[in-house]
Amino acid sequence: MSADAPTSPHHAPPQGTTGELLRLAGPLMLSNLAYTAVGFTDTLLMGRLGVVEVGAVGFASLCLLTLVLLFRGSLNTASTFVARALGAGNAAGVRRWTSVFLGCALVGVPLALAGPWLVDGLFALLKPEASVAATARTYAHIRLWEIPFVMLGSTALSVMVGLGNTRTPMLLAWLVVVLNAALAVLLIFGLGWGVRGAAWAAVIAVAVQNALAVALLARLHGHRFGPFRPARPHRSELAALGRISLPAGITELAEVGAFTVFQGVISRLGPTELAASQIANQLASLGFLPAFALASATSSLLSRALGAGRPDLAARIGWRGAGVAAALMGLLGVLFLTLPRPLIGLFSRSPEVLELGRTVLGIMAAYQVLDGVAIVLGGALGGAGDTRFRLIVTLVGAWLVMVLGASLLAPRYGVSGAWGAALVFIAFAALAYLGRFASGRWQRMRL
């Protein structure tokens, strides 16, 4: 980390209470609920068009995530660097790291320009069912236009979280919900654009959100820490980015890339299996997106505690975050076991989709608590800078256990075999992160 001397008054470390954690995580949970609402809206609207459209839009969205996650995942570590500087009372460090990450975010421009060839290459590799592929390609090529906005906006939002401002990201997330829904109804049905209308609605909504994020970062925090201008990293900063940020980006790419390939395995079973899995995953997001919010809050508070020289407090924050996530996702697991058909029926009345969706939700119910623990403790380790361990767990678990397992089991056991492999991966990750966090080795990581 750059050795700028502290230039702002001393900042007290976080208290490490459950209330403090929830106050920071609460708006992030609402933010992630908003992103879930966007997915719900798109899935509901696509459901009115047909089963193929439901599966195709979900598959295309995963492919787009795969393209951007190396960069977006790396940029999201801005919160770790900013929170560590804030905990140490280093205002110059906050300003410098924000500027460095904004400079790195400009990678979104060439990525968007190369996007059509990258998307087509990914589709050729995954070989989805023909009807799914045609619809998904149309959707994905349009959504590529939002990538430059996403890179800059994600950086700005990550910096805000590192500074303890989670309310602004929440408000911007709900702006996307309203704008996307209104535009989607107009373009899909009013103008009859179908899947193309859904894609353009998302592009416009996301572009507005992220442009506002950059503007509001300067307006709300520039007077104290700014000005924020895109900057080139120095050699020592590049080393820190390579040590902390790059493994984080590779981890997100590897995890979502593995899930994309996993969905590709399911897509080869047929449109009904893909639609059932997509609907079940939308329902599961009611649990794992709040868990990701808790992970972000835990990571930010833990990094601030380490910056203030309080590793004991950082450990307490991590364990409390994991406990809250396990409790929340356990409740969702109970709902999946008791109300599977009514939940799936919100999206599709197809008897085949209802039956397969019930099976998938039953498997998901079995791993909800473990998933909550894995998500939060993985985020806590990331906040401490222990990103290489997370990368190892993801490469081994997501690819060797989940993807390879699904490839072997799906042809024989269908969608149940594929999701059974996912269950084993999540159990492996939870146990690995529990052991690593309990060891305390992450407390000695430097940025």
Side-chain angles (χ1 to χ4, degrees):
M1 191 168 180
S2 293
D4 296 294
T7 57
S8 63
H10 175 73
H11 294 276
Q15 299 302 305
T17 63
T18 302
E20 181 185 43
L21 181 65
L22 290 176
R23 281 193 297 274
L24 188 62
L28 290 175
M29 289 183 186
L30 292 175
S31 297
N32 286 343
L33 181 62
Y35 293 124
T36 303
V38 171
F40 267 57
T41 300
D42 288 346
T43 304
L44 285 168
L45 294 176
M46 290 302 99
R48 302 298 182 267
L49 296 179
V51 171
V52 169
E53 285 80 1
V54 171
V57 167
F59 181 73
S61 297
L62 276 174
C63 290
L64 290 167
L65 269 178
T66 301
L67 292 182
V68 304
L69 266 182
L70 172 62
F71 306 99
R72 200 180 78 178
S74 299
L75 293 170
N76 281 341
T77 61
S79 62
T80 296
F81 288 87
V82 167
R84 188 74 67 95
L86 182 66
N90 185 355
V94 171
R95 178 173 61 253
R96 176 61 189 173
W97 279 116
T98 300
S99 298
V100 165
F101 275 94
L102 286 173
C104 293
L106 297 176
V107 71
V109 175
L111 184 60
L113 294 175
W117 292 276
L118 295 173
V119 166
D120 289 349
L122 192 55
F123 277 36
L125 178 66
L126 297 177
K127 297 182 175 65
E129 195 270 338
S131 61
V132 170
T135 303
R137 182 175 286 107
T138 298
Y139 183 85
H141 277 211
I142 294 171
R143 291 290 303 270
L144 290 168
W145 289 98
E146 73 193 40
I147 289 178
F149 297 96
V150 168
M151 294 295 107
L152 285 167
S154 295
T155 300
L157 294 171
S158 181
V159 170
M160 290 183 196
V161 172
L163 295 174
N165 176 5
T166 55
R167 185 172 180 271
T168 301
M170 175 196 70
L171 294 174
L172 290 174
W174 281 100
L175 172 65
V176 171
V177 174
V178 175
L179 191 55
N180 178 71
L183 289 171
V185 171
L186 172 64
L187 298 179
I188 295 171
F189 302 112
L191 298 181
W193 288 6
V195 168
R196 291 187 301 113
W200 279 115
V203 168
I204 296 169
V206 169
V208 170
Q209 177 211 22
N210 288 286
L212 285 173
V214 175
L216 288 172
L217 174 64
R219 181 181 179 87
L220 298 176
H221 301 287
H223 68 283
R224 182 178 178 190
F225 300 108
F228 302 129
R229 299 188 181 94
R232 287 184 180 181
H234 302 314
R235 182 174 298 180
S236 62
E237 294 164 341
L238 274 174
L241 293 173
R243 190 173 59 250
I244 306 298
S245 301
L246 183 59
I250 297 173
T251 298
E252 291 206 24
L253 173 63
E255 192 167 60
V256 176
F259 193 70
T260 302
V261 176
F262 173 79
Q263 288 287 79
V265 172
I266 293 175
S267 74
R268 289 195 287 272
L269 297 174
T272 302
E273 287 83 354
L274 182 60
S277 292
Q278 171 66 13
I279 290 169
N281 205 50
Q282 284 291 336
L283 291 166
S285 68
L286 291 170
F288 65 68
L289 287 180
F292 281 125
L294 276 166
S296 295
T298 300
S299 173
S300 178
L301 291 173
L302 182 145
S303 187
R304 282 173 53 195
L306 290 175
R310 291 290 307 278
D312 58 321
L313 180 58
R316 185 162 75 240
I317 290 168
W319 289 122
R320 290 195 176 184
V324 174
L328 288 175
M329 294 187 70
L331 291 174
L332 186 63
V334 172
L335 287 177
F336 286 175
L337 285 175
T338 56
L339 299 170
R341 292 182 71 87
L343 290 172
I344 297 294
L346 293 172
F347 300 93
S348 176
R349 296 295 181 182
S350 165
E352 294 82 5
V353 172
L354 285 170
E355 184 59 28
L356 286 175
R358 181 188 65 81
T359 300
V360 175
L361 282 186
I363 297 171
M364 287 181 169
Y367 65 63
Q368 289 302 299
V369 171
L370 290 171
D371 203 17
V373 171
I375 289 170
V376 171
L377 289 186
L381 292 172
D386 195 4
T387 54
R388 281 177 286 190
F389 181 79
R390 292 188 64 206
L391 175 58
I392 292 169
V393 170
T394 299
L395 291 175
V396 173
W399 286 93
L400 293 184
V401 176
M402 185 176 75
V403 171
L404 182 59
S407 299
L408 294 174
L409 295 174
R412 174 174 291 188
Y413 301 105
V415 75
S416 298
W419 283 101
L423 187 156
V424 176
F425 156 57
I426 289 168
F428 166 78
L431 292 174
Y433 292 146
L434 275 166
R436 183 70 166 188
F437 198 79
S439 76
R441 293 181 62 183
W442 52 272
Q443 296 176 349
R444 300 186 291 273
M445 297 286 170
R446 66 182 184 88
L447 299 186

